[in-house]
C-alpha cells in the first residue's frame, strides 16, 4: 500500500474462506470448481493477524471471504473478527472489511461501525453485464443498494462520516466497453461520493472457458493490463482533476487505440 508521503506499508490481506456458493464465471473459486476448500474461524483470523502486527510486519487488515452459506452469515464472520480485534484486543489500527453482495442493512451497519473502510465490488457496469457472469446475483439489489446504503451511512455529518467506501470493476470478462466503465465510474464519484474506484484485469483461463478477457479484435494477453492501466489513468483524471465522463475521448470501444 502506498502512503500519502510516498512511503510503503503492508496490509494483511486474506480470505476467511475460499468456500463460495456463488457462480461468478470469472472466479476460480466459484461453487462448481473442484478446489481444496478452507475456512478460518474469527478467532484464528484475529490471532494470526495480531501475530504479524506485533512483529510489525503489517500495519492493518484487509478482510474478505467467499460466501459461506449466505451473505449475512458470511458478514457475521467478518464482523465478528473485527469486533474481536476492536473490543477484546483493543486494536485501534486500520481495518478494511469487504461487504458481501446481498448483505442486509444490519450487517452492513455493523461493518461500517467497526471498519475504517468498506467496499462492495461493483464488478460490472450494469445488470446486463453482470447477468453474463452470474445467474445468482442481482446488480441492483445485491450490489447497488448496499453501495447506496453505505453512502447514506457515511455521508458528511453522519456518525460514520470518516469511514471510506471503495469499489472495484472486474475488467474484461463481461465484454463491456471502456465507455461503459467510465460512465459508471463517473456516477460513483459524482452521485455516491465514492472514495476510490479500483480495477482488476481478468486473465483468460482463470474462470469459465467461455469467457474472453479482451475486447473484439484484441488477442495479446498483455493488452488486458494496458487496458487496466488506462482505466486507472482515467480514474485519476476524474478523481483528482475534476474531469467528467464526457471529457474522456473514446475510440470505438476503448479509451485509446489498441496497437
Amino acid at each position: 500500500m502506498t502512503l500519502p508521503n510516498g512511503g510503503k506499508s503492508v496490509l494483511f490481506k486474506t480470505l476467511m474462506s475460499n468456500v463460495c456458493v456463488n457462480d461468478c464465471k470469472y472466479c476460480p473459486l466459484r461453487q462448481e470448481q473442484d478446489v481444496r476448500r478452507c475456512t478460518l474461524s474469527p478467532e484464528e483470523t484475529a490471532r494470526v493477524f495480531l501475530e504479524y502486527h506485533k512483529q510489525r510486519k503489517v500495519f492493518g487488515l484487509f478482510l474478505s471471504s467467499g460466501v459461506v452459506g449466505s451473505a449475512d452469515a458470511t458478514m457475521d464472520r467478518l464482523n465478528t473478527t473485527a469486533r474481536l480485534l476492536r473490543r477484546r484486543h483493543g486494536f485501534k489500527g486500520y481495518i478494511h472489511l469487504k461487504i458481501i453482495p446481498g448483505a442486509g442493512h444490519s450487517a452492513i451497519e455493523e461493518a461500517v461501525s467497526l471498519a475504517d473502510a468498506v467496499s462492495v465490488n461493483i464488478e460490472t457496469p450494469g445488470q446486463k453485464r453482470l447477468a453474463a457472469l452470474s445467474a445468482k446475483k442481482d446488480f441492483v439489489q445485491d450490489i447497488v443498494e448496499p453501495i447506496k446504503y453505505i453512502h447514506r451511512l457515511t455521508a458528511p455529518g453522519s456518525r460514520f462520516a470518516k469511514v471510506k467506501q471503495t469499489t472495484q470493476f472486474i475488467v474484461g470478462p463481461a465484454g463491456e466497453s471502456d465507455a461503459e466503465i467510465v460512465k459508471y465510474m463517473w456516477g460513483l464519484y459524482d452521485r455516491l461520493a465514492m472514495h476510490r474506484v479500483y480495477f482488476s484485469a481478468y486473465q483468460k483461463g482463470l474462470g469459465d472457458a467461455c469467457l474472453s478477457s479482451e475486447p473484439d479484435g484484441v488477442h495479446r494477453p498483455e493488452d488486458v493490463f494496458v487496458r487496466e492501466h488506462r482505466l486507472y489513468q482515467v480514474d485519476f483524471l476524474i478523481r483528482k482533476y475534476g474531469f467528467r465522463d464526457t471529457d474522456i475521448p473514446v475510440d470505438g470501444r476503448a479509451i485509446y487505440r489498441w496497437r
Side-chain angles (χ1 to χ4, degrees):
M1 179 176 180
T2 302
L3 301 175
N5 63 3
K8 299 286 185 179
S9 193
V10 179
L11 276 175
F12 185 84
K13 300 180 71 172
T14 189
L15 288 173
M16 285 194 70
S17 178
N18 66 355
V19 174
C20 194
V21 301
N22 279 334
D23 62 346
C24 306
K25 292 182 180 179
Y26 65 84
C27 182
L29 301 178
R30 62 193 183 279
Q31 185 179 40
E32 67 186 58
Q33 291 296 93
D34 182 17
V35 297
R36 187 176 180 180
R37 306 288 182 172
C38 176
T39 299
L40 299 174
S41 70
E43 291 77 12
E44 288 175 310
T45 308
R47 175 178 54 78
V48 172
F49 165 71
L50 288 171
E51 288 175 359
Y52 278 94
H53 185 261
K54 288 176 182 177
Q55 296 171 31
R56 298 190 177 184
K57 293 182 177 179
V58 298
F59 83 97
L61 174 67
F62 184 107
L63 191 58
S64 185
S65 181
V67 183
V68 185
S70 69
D72 280 346
T74 306
M75 284 305 307
D76 184 61
R77 290 173 176 268
L78 298 170
N79 289 340
T80 298
T81 304
R83 198 183 316 117
L84 286 170
L85 290 171
R86 295 294 197 209
R87 298 175 185 172
R88 180 183 297 178
H89 299 287
F91 178 70
K92 297 181 180 180
Y94 182 86
I95 296 178
H96 183 132
L97 293 178
K98 276 291 181 183
I99 305 298
I100 304 300
H105 282 190
S106 60
I108 293 172
E109 186 169 355
E110 183 176 18
V112 170
S113 74
L114 292 165
D116 299 280
V118 295
S119 56
V120 185
N121 284 352
I122 192 169
E123 301 186 45
T124 66
Q127 173 63 36
K128 178 182 176 181
R129 297 301 184 184
L130 184 64
L133 300 179
S134 173
K136 292 186 176 182
K137 290 181 182 176
D138 182 276
F139 184 74
V140 174
Q141 294 301 317
D142 295 339
I143 295 175
V144 175
E145 287 303 323
I147 288 175
K148 288 182 177 179
Y149 186 58
I150 294 167
H151 171 62
R152 295 195 294 272
L153 289 174
T154 59
S158 69
R159 177 185 174 190
F160 305 119
K162 292 184 178 181
V163 178
K164 304 294 191 297
Q165 179 177 195
T166 67
T167 192
Q168 179 175 260
F169 287 94
I170 307 300
V171 180
E176 76 289 332
S177 66
D178 290 343
E180 291 175 86
I181 293 178
V182 171
K183 179 181 177 180
Y184 271 79
M185 185 201 315
W186 160 253
L188 289 165
Y189 283 126
D190 183 55
R191 295 190 291 276
L192 294 172
M194 190 65 61
H195 179 68
R196 186 77 190 271
V197 177
Y198 293 89
F199 309 93
S200 179
Y202 173 72
Q203 299 177 62
K204 189 173 182 179
L206 292 180
D208 192 283
C210 72
L211 297 180
S212 172
S213 59
E214 302 90 6
D216 296 339
V218 178
H219 303 290
R220 298 187 307 171
E222 62 268 27
D223 283 339
V224 299
F225 299 108
V226 176
R227 185 185 185 195
E228 177 189 276
H229 177 67
R230 297 300 190 200
L231 287 167
Y232 272 115
Q233 290 177 319
V234 171
D235 170 80
F236 195 83
L237 293 175
I238 291 174
R239 184 165 44 87
K240 293 294 187 180
Y241 289 101
F243 278 52
R244 299 177 60 90
D245 56 335
T246 52
D247 296 326
I248 306 301
V250 177
D251 179 13
R253 290 173 52 83
I255 54 177
Y256 69 104
R257 186 177 297 279
W258 299 94
R259 296 181 180 179

